[in-house]
Amino acid sequence: MKVLKFGGTSVGSAERIKNVANIVTSKGKNIVVLSAMAGTTNTLVEIADYLYKKNADGAKETINLLEKKYFQTIDELYSKESSKEEATREIKACFNYIRSFTKDIFTLFEEKEILAQGEIMSTIMMNLYLNEQGINSVLIPALEYMKTDKNGEPETQFIKQRLINLLDKHPEADIYITQGYICRNAYGEIDNLQRGGSDYSASLVGAAIGAEEIEIWTDIDGMHNNDPRFVEGTKPVEKLNFEEAAELAYFGAKILHPTCIQPAKLNNIPVRLLSTLEPTAKGTLIGNESVNYAIKAIAAKDNITSIKIKSGRMLLAYGFLRKVFEIFESHKTPIDMVVTSEVGVSVTIDSEKNLDNILDDLRKFGTVTVDRDMVIICVVGNLEWQNCGYEAMAMEALKNIPVRMISYGGSNYNISFLIRKEDKVKALNQLSQVLFK
Ligand code: ADP
Ligand code: ASP
Ligand code: MG
């Protein structure tokens, strides 16, 4: 069995839902993981925001507008009156549930229950549509098997046992449908795997059933060699290994959520990125195999803060770096890039949540400077140090752009540059021109 995951745009309208139904029915008995319809999760976040601000009218108005969109989709999607009625009844129940939160106190728990409705609704709609087409699709509720522990990590054994149990109850099914993104936490409360987390769901489901392949279907034909939102003429990369894909996803290639790689890699399950707009396109295959051409793709990660700690007296004393890293650890803030010199060390972080406390602690060890609004540009490929010239080419491409940090050699797969936000688009374009000419 395979896992087929479809993102928000792929199920974003009646027409797109029909298109996905065509794809999944042509592929046999698989597990289909769905995101919420495009824009829904953002709107649910907006509704929650109104409720946090005790603006029940704002919330109600937004709920009504979203509900109207769903009713319109139902009208366009189903041909039988009985399916329209059933879909309307079930979707209305979801909206009434969301409405019920406009009367009471509102906390993070209620927000998560609201956010879960997006994936619950898209799977209801798809399941009913497939049933209307005479396909015996069966809905497998993610809230009955997808679970995280006290650290927010997936409970892989629990997921596996529960999921297999649920699937075994429906041997007659033609297709299984389940929700991405949503789960229960260690306390049994409704929770989620973070924004964009449906890719992670797909990978966890794939690992749980030992899937033959995990297919991530989206609105573009694979991982492109640069960010298509900022660079024209980008091309899909045919093959990536798990490490390269992980670097690209982590450093900003939005097509894939970075958490998706690990479960697939650990269980050696290939991940294929495919386009619902061009279902016959080859896409990108991610696996264990290394492909021997050098630079494969470029990505950019925004909202980076760099911190430099200068301390002539202490840097080379052993234990200094440990002390610096411990400060970040004690404030639960991961570090992305690190560069060191004789007199200082610079690191980058992607969250300023604990920055003030971190800076207070770092100042005990040296002079600290901070640069905000920076971007990490990550050049990914088979960059073993013996392959000469690639780092020089990347630096040549950026010769007219101020570079704050460079990191190379941490893995065989990336060179990272830290630059200013305003130089990002220029840097991405110049790198494409030099590296993929
Ligand atoms: P989904 O809703 O299906 O999960 P996403 O919006 O999360 O889809 O991801 C697909 C989008 O990722 C594409 O439309 C594209 O704009 C963006 N993207 C960013 N970098 C890349 C890249 N290197 N290759 C392909 N797509 C990318
Ligand atoms: N619907 C969720 C989001 O928009 C999860 C996902 O699409 O992956 O973040
Ligand atoms: Mg996505």
Side-chain angles (χ1 to χ4, degrees):
M1 231 171 12
K2 290 184 181 177
V3 177
L4 278 50
K5 179 259 166 175
F6 294 86
T9 17
S10 300
V11 292
S13 66
E15 193 195 341
R16 309 245 31 93
I17 293 174
K18 288 180 189 175
N19 183 41
V20 168
N22 278 336
I23 295 171
V24 299
T25 48
S26 70
K27 289 185 151 259
K29 185 166 179 168
N30 293 306
I31 304 187
V32 174
V33 176
L34 298 184
S35 292
M37 290 177 74
T40 296
T41 311
N42 285 346
T43 308
L44 295 173
V45 169
E46 214 179 293
I47 292 165
D49 206 39
Y50 279 123
L51 293 174
Y52 276 122
K53 295 185 172 120
K54 302 195 189 319
N55 180 352
D57 288 349
K60 282 180 197 161
E61 216 170 289
T62 315
I63 295 168
N64 293 345
L65 277 176
L66 187 65
E67 186 180 45
K68 205 168 145 201
K69 248 171 72 182
Y70 273 77
F71 288 157
Q72 206 173 324
T73 309
I74 289 173
D75 205 43
E76 291 162 21
L77 182 60
Y78 304 98
S79 40
K80 289 186 193 153
E81 270 320 301
S82 57
S83 315
K84 279 189 195 186
E85 275 165 26
E86 172 147 20
T88 306
R89 194 172 48 74
E90 293 196 33
I91 296 299
K92 211 176 212 164
C94 294
F95 278 100
N96 286 341
Y97 182 62
I98 299 171
R99 274 191 194 93
S100 71
F101 295 104
T102 58
K103 297 185 192 105
D104 240 331
I105 52 159
F106 197 76
T107 70
L108 194 63
F109 305 114
E110 285 78 28
E111 176 179 10
K112 289 186 170 159
E113 297 200 17
I114 287 186
L115 293 189
Q117 299 310 307
E119 272 68 14
I120 290 176
M121 293 196 289
S122 62
T123 49
I124 289 174
M125 307 248 288
M126 179 64 78
N127 191 46
L128 282 173
Y129 180 72
L130 288 167
N131 291 165
E132 186 184 67
Q133 303 305 302
I135 291 150
N136 186 15
S137 64
V138 170
L139 208 48
I140 305 288
L143 297 180
E144 288 183 23
Y145 69 85
M146 192 56 81
K147 193 164 188 288
T148 53
D149 64 17
K150 285 186 178 142
N151 300 316
E153 294 295 323
E155 292 250 28
T156 48
Q157 276 311 315
F158 177 95
I159 296 168
K160 183 174 178 166
Q161 279 168 6
R162 274 291 182 97
L163 178 57
I164 290 175
N165 237 314
L166 288 165
L167 299 176
D168 283 350
K169 280 190 190 152
H170 301 281
E172 74 296 347
D174 293 329
I175 289 172
Y176 299 105
I177 310 279
T178 191
Q179 299 87 12
Y181 180 57
I182 62 176
C183 64
R184 284 192 190 273
N185 62 23
Y187 313 99
E189 297 149 353
I190 293 182
D191 209 328
N192 60 60
L193 300 172
Q194 313 286 335
R195 294 302 306 271
S198 293
D199 296 341
Y200 195 20
S201 305
S203 186
L204 292 169
V205 167
I209 63 157
E212 176 194 335
E213 192 167 276
I214 298 159
E215 295 184 355
I216 305 289
W217 288 79
T218 181
D219 59 359
I220 188 163
D221 57 342
M223 176 76 79
H224 277 220
N225 59 6
N226 205 330
D227 195 319
R229 293 168 297 180
F230 306 109
V231 179
E232 273 180 36
T234 58
K235 291 198 179 70
V237 181
E238 209 173 301
K239 281 187 179 175
L240 289 169
N241 67 33
F242 286 121
E243 281 76 13
E244 291 164 336
E247 302 265 12
L248 285 167
Y250 186 73
F251 287 109
K254 186 181 175 242
I255 183 170
L256 201 59
H257 197 273
T259 50
C260 168
I261 298 296
Q262 193 67 355
K265 184 183 162 194
L266 285 177
N267 294 278
N268 198 15
I269 302 172
V271 177
R272 205 181 282 272
L273 309 181
L274 293 157
S275 167
T276 42
L277 305 174
E278 247 184 290
T280 53
K282 259 190 178 164
T284 298
L285 180 63
I286 303 166
N288 264 324
E289 199 186 327
S290 263
V291 187
N292 250 354
Y293 57 95
I295 293 180
K296 304 219 176 94
I298 300 153
K301 186 172 178 180
D302 301 327
N303 298 320
I304 303 293
T305 302
S306 74
I307 303 164
K308 178 157 69 188
I309 307 109
K310 257 175 63 182
S311 172
R313 188 167 50 88
M314 289 181 80
L315 184 69
L316 283 186
Y318 51 78
F320 178 74
L321 283 178
R322 179 176 54 77
K323 284 181 191 143
V324 168
F325 290 151
E326 269 174 3
I327 290 171
F328 288 89
E329 188 185 342
S330 69
H331 294 291
K332 294 193 162 54
T333 302
I335 292 171
D336 281 334
M337 279 173 86
V338 185
V339 296
T340 62
S341 86
E342 187 84 12
V343 289
V345 50
S346 282
V347 301
T348 69
I349 56 174
D350 65 2
S351 160
E352 290 204 356
K353 202 170 138 210
N354 301 315
L355 183 63
D356 289 341
N357 294 332
I358 291 172
L359 295 181
D360 274 349
D361 286 350
L362 287 174
R363 287 194 182 106
K364 293 171 193 152
F365 294 102
T367 316
V368 180
T369 42
V370 178
D371 291 298
R372 292 198 166 82
D373 281 334
M374 307 295 281
V375 170
I376 295 177
I377 302 281
C378 182
V379 176
V380 169
N382 183 10
L383 294 163
E384 283 176 45
W385 67 274
Q386 291 93 341
N387 300 343
C388 50
Y390 294 108
E391 61 280 15
M393 276 162 75
M395 285 162 84
E396 168 72 17
L398 298 177
K399 68 181 176 198
N400 57 349
I401 291 173
V403 175
R404 164 73 183 80
M405 284 165 70
I406 300 176
S407 165
Y408 171 63
S411 78
N412 283 341
Y413 303 103
N414 101 50
I415 316 171
S416 301
F417 299 92
L418 186 71
I419 61 168
R420 298 180 309 195
K421 175 172 103 180
E422 53 268 40
D423 295 325
K424 164 177 151 176
V425 175
K426 187 170 156 194
L428 289 175
N429 277 281
Q430 288 180 189
L431 280 164
S432 253
Q433 280 155 24
V434 172
L435 300 174
F436 306 127
K437 62 184 167 203

